[in-house]
Amino acid sequence: MTATAASAWRKPSVIPGFGLALGFTLAYLSLIVLIPLGGLVLRTIGMGWPQFLAIALDPRTLAALRLSFGASAIAAAVNTVFGLIVAWVLVRYDFPGRKIVDAVVDLPFALPTAVAGISLTAIYAPNGWVGQYAAAFGIRIAYTPVGVFIALVFIGLPFVVRTVQPVLEDMDREVEEMAATLGARRWTTVRRVVLPTLVPALLTGFALAFARAVGEYGSVIFIAGNIPYVSEIAPLLIVIRLTEFNYAAATAVASIMLALSFVLLFAINLLQAWSRRRLSHE
């Protein structure tokens, strides 16, 4: 009787099954993401500030973090520019082999990272197809930060292309034609009409490419050479500390990467939200 009365007085939900779906989502998110990250933070807090600062300010740690975040930011910026060009060509032009090119864009998604790293090393090594010509001019690509940058560009390009491409496909070309009839030149139309519409998608693609590049491991370690203070990335330093059974150092470096990644991605999301609000008011 009590259960019947409770069900009779319960207010029906607008979205059927919302409570169950929300509970499952939060439980799954907690088990997969929040609890592991929370354990990482608690382990870092437990080591104490003096030990944490000693590990964080270690020159080798700073060099690895500088390379990982610096190369990832530059690679994501380059992918933002050239990813827009690739997406524009795939959407606006029809040419022989277009579907093949469109499929090749997704190759870094499907290709195992170790295979990508070995392939890039074979190409850009001093005796490789491309590296031998660069070596003739005294330029080293593999086993340097330049090689790390190339690997991060390779794995990040699809994120920008696949984020911008649907927006370009949905964009109304009549707006561009209207701007042309009003006397706007092609570059003016792109700068004042096309690019403002693409800014949120470009920022999203940048954030995705940056996040992937920061944590990339398999495709980088082969071409990087893993030289401390020169071409050693932060994820590799974490693995090295783990193999040394120095769990405190590995946890500290991982926590620093987590904090920096969260701050940068949060800033990018704020910029993206601001850009969308600005476009909605125009």
Side-chain angles (χ1 to χ4, degrees), residues 156-186:
L157 179 64
F159 291 93
V160 179
V161 176
R162 294 312 182 206
T163 304
V164 176
Q165 190 173 359
V167 180
L168 281 173
E169 292 174 348
D170 295 337
M171 188 178 296
D172 192 356
R173 299 190 184 184
E174 293 182 357
V175 179
E176 301 175 40
E177 297 174 356
M178 186 182 302
T181 58
L182 294 175
R185 296 184 177 181
R186 187 59 179 169

Side-chain angles (χ1 to χ4, degrees), residues 7 71 105 124 154 214 250:
S7 60
V105 171
Y124 292 104
F154 175 80
V214 167

Side-chain angles (χ1 to χ4, degrees), residues 52-181:
F52 175 79
L53 291 177
I55 297 172
L57 299 178
D58 180 72
R60 186 174 179 180
T61 302
L62 294 177
L65 291 172
R66 191 182 305 114
L67 176 61
S68 290
F69 283 89
S72 297
I74 298 173
V78 171
N79 278 328
T80 301
V81 176
F82 290 95
L84 171 61
I85 296 175
V86 173
W88 183 276
V89 171
L90 291 176
V91 172
R92 294 301 179 92
Y93 297 99
D94 191 9
F95 53 91
R98 175 178 170 273
K99 293 184 178 181
I100 297 177
V101 175
D102 194 21
V104 170
V105 171
D106 293 328
L107 187 61
F109 283 146
L111 195 66
T113 55
V115 175
I118 294 173
S119 302
L120 292 173
T121 305
I123 293 173
Y124 292 104
N127 58 347
W129 294 347
V130 178
Q132 60 181 338
Y133 298 106
F137 294 95
I139 302 174
R140 289 179 59 87
I141 298 177
Y143 318 129
T144 66
V146 178
V148 176
F149 164 77
I150 291 176
L152 297 182
V153 169
F154 175 80
I155 58 99
L157 179 64
F159 291 93
V160 179
V161 176
R162 294 312 182 206
T163 304
V164 176
Q165 190 173 359
V167 180
L168 281 173
E169 292 174 348
D170 295 337
M171 188 178 296
D172 192 356
R173 299 190 184 184
E174 293 182 357
V175 179
E176 301 175 40
E177 297 174 356
M178 186 182 302
T181 58

Side-chain angles (χ1 to χ4, degrees), residues 254-270:
S255 298
I256 295 172
M257 290 193 65
L258 174 64
L260 292 176
S261 300
F262 177 80
V263 171
L264 291 175
L265 293 177
F266 182 71
I268 293 172
N269 287 332
L270 289 179

